[in-house]
Amino acid sequence: MPSTVVITGASAGIGRATARLYGRRGANVVLVARGEGGLREAADEVAALGGRPLVQVADIADADRVEAVAEAAEKEFGPLDVWINCAFASVFAPFDEITPEEFRRITDVTYLGFVNGTRTALRRMLPRDRGTIVQVGSALGERSIPLQSAYCGAKHAINGFTSSLRTELLHRGSNVHITVVQMPAVNTPQFEWVRSRLPRHPMPVPPIYQPEVAARGVVYAADHPRRKQYYVGASTVATIWANRLAPAPLDRYLARTGFDSQQTDRLPPAGLDNLFAPVDQDPAEDQGAHGSFDDSAHARSWQQTLARHPAATALCTSAALLGALRGLRRLTSRAA
C-alpha cells in the first residue's frame, strides 16, 4: 500500500521539493498551504511523478482548520503514515521595528503551527501506535542571528517542544516517532515573499543549499525517525558546534557581519509579502521550490551523504567540528 504523507508549507521551497520526492514514490501526498495556485501546481507535479495528490488550502495557525485537513486526508486515503511540519513565516527587520501583530503572527505560524500539526497527527497516530512526525527545523533554532528575532525564537521553541514530546513518547513506549531535521540556509522563494524592512534585498546566509538537498534530508528522517535529530549541511553542524563552544565570540562576529550577510546588492522586493496573506493564489504567481539564488546554491551536501552511514557519522561530525574550531580561532582573534 502507498504511504500517506501530509506536508505543510507544500506550495513552495522545502515542502514543495519534499512533495516531489514522495510523488516519485507513488505516495498519497496531502499538500497543505494557504496559496491555492501554488498548491495546484504542486499537485500537478506530484501526479505527473506518479503520486496521488490532495490539495488542502489551510492556514496552519488555525488549529480547527488543521484538524479538518487531517479528516479530509483520512477520508480520501485512510490512516496517516507521516506528518511533516514545514510551513513558516518571518519578517526581516531589527526587533524594535517588528510590530506586536507581526511578532504574534510569526509565532502563530512558525511555532504554534507546528504544535497544531503535531497535535492533530498524534490524535490519529497514538491510538494506532504507529506513525512518524518530522519537524523541519533550522540551525537558527540553536544559534540565533540578527534581523530574524521572531523566526529564531519560534525555531528555538520547536526544539524545546519536540524534545519534551519525544520523552513523553519514550515514556509510553509508543511506536509513534518524532524527529527534527535542522536545516542550513536554503534557496527558497521566501526571500522574494518575506516582509522586509531592510534597505536591500534579503538573502540566506551563505553557504546556500538547494531545496532538494533539504528535501532529501526530510525524507530520510521520515524513513529513519528513531534519531532525535538530523543535520543537513556541514554549515549546520559547524554553526551549532561553534555556538556551543564559543557563543560570546560568535555573538560579536554576528553583530559585525550578520546584517550585511543577509542582504544582496539588489533593491528590496517591491511586491506583496506573504505574512498575513498568500502571494501565490493564482497559478501564474507560483514560484515552485527555488528562490532567486540558483547561481550560488549547492545541489549536494557531502555531510548529508556521509551522515546516513553510521560508520561515517563520527568522521563527518569531526570534520565539521574541525572547521568550526578553525573558524572560532579566527573569530576569537578578531574579537580580541
Side-chain angles (χ1 to χ4, degrees):
M1 295 291 292
S3 59
T4 296
V5 182
V6 178
I7 305 172
T8 73
S11 62
I14 296 172
R16 179 77 165 260
T18 302
R20 291 170 179 167
L21 291 182
Y22 277 110
R24 290 191 181 97
R25 291 187 172 190
N28 304 318
V29 186
V30 184
L31 304 157
V32 187
R34 294 173 301 158
E36 186 169 1
L39 285 176
R40 296 293 176 189
E41 294 296 304
D44 288 345
E45 290 176 351
V46 169
L49 290 166
R52 295 178 61 199
L54 176 65
V55 167
Q56 290 290 290
V57 179
D59 185 338
I60 63 166
D62 183 340
D64 291 337
R65 187 69 192 95
V66 174
E67 185 68 17
V69 166
E71 291 175 359
E74 294 209 322
K75 182 178 180 180
E76 181 76 15
F77 297 131
L80 306 181
D81 298 299
V82 179
W83 187 291
I84 298 169
N85 288 309
C86 189
F88 72 93
S90 188
V91 168
F92 278 74
F95 169 70
D96 58 346
E97 296 181 20
I98 302 174
T99 69
E101 293 76 18
E102 290 170 339
F103 210 99
R104 185 179 302 111
R105 174 62 180 166
I106 294 165
T107 304
D108 285 346
V109 175
T110 308
Y111 172 46
L112 295 180
F114 278 50
V115 173
N116 293 337
T118 301
R119 181 186 294 110
T120 292
L122 287 177
R123 281 186 180 136
R124 289 151 178 83
M125 293 177 178
L126 285 175
R128 300 167 184 147
D129 197 32
R130 67 179 180 88
T132 295
I133 300 167
V134 179
Q135 316 284 43
V136 177
S138 170
L140 304 188
E142 292 204 34
R143 170 64 256 183
S144 295
I145 61 175
L147 302 177
Q148 296 197 56
S149 57
Y151 176 83
C152 290
K155 287 298 186 182
H156 274 73
I158 289 166
N159 285 340
F161 157 67
T162 303
S163 292
S164 179
L165 174 57
R166 187 171 186 271
T167 60
E168 293 175 9
L169 294 173
L170 289 169
H171 173 77
R172 295 185 186 199
S174 176
N175 287 313
V176 176
H177 301 289
I178 187 166
T179 188
V180 184
V181 186
Q182 308 292 12
M183 295 296 178
V186 181
N187 175 34
T188 72
Q190 73 142 324
F191 300 95
E192 316 305 317
W193 292 344
V194 71
R195 180 168 294 189
S196 175
R197 296 193 174 92
L198 304 181
R200 291 172 283 147
H201 196 293
M203 67 172 288
V205 179
I208 306 168
Y209 293 85
Q210 294 289 26
E212 288 77 15
V213 176
R216 289 193 292 270
V218 171
V219 173
Y220 186 82
D223 291 342
H224 306 82
R226 293 182 181 274
R227 190 184 298 183
K228 178 180 180 179
Q229 63 182 349
Y230 289 87
Y231 298 152
V232 173
S235 58
T236 298
V237 182
T239 298
I240 290 171
W241 275 103
N243 187 59
R244 292 175 181 176
L245 293 170
L250 193 54
D251 280 346
R252 291 191 287 272
Y253 174 76
L254 289 169
R256 288 198 311 273
T257 66
F259 280 64
D260 285 341
S261 65
Q262 295 185 78
Q263 300 179 71
T264 70
D265 293 331
R266 291 180 282 154
L267 293 175
L272 300 174
D273 64 72
N274 71 344
L275 184 59
F276 290 100
V279 296
D280 56 345
Q281 287 285 48
D282 189 280
E285 297 164 332
D286 172 56
Q287 292 197 29
H290 289 215
S292 59
F293 300 94
D294 280 333
D295 291 344
S296 55
H298 301 286
R300 301 284 177 187
S301 166
W302 63 264
Q303 175 276 338
Q304 182 185 58
T305 302
L306 288 175
R308 294 183 179 185
H309 304 283
T313 300
L315 175 62
C316 177
T317 303
S318 298
L321 181 56
L322 180 60
L325 289 171
R326 288 173 176 168
L328 284 174
R329 290 194 191 100
R330 292 193 294 270
L331 291 182
T332 303
S333 63
R334 291 173 185 171

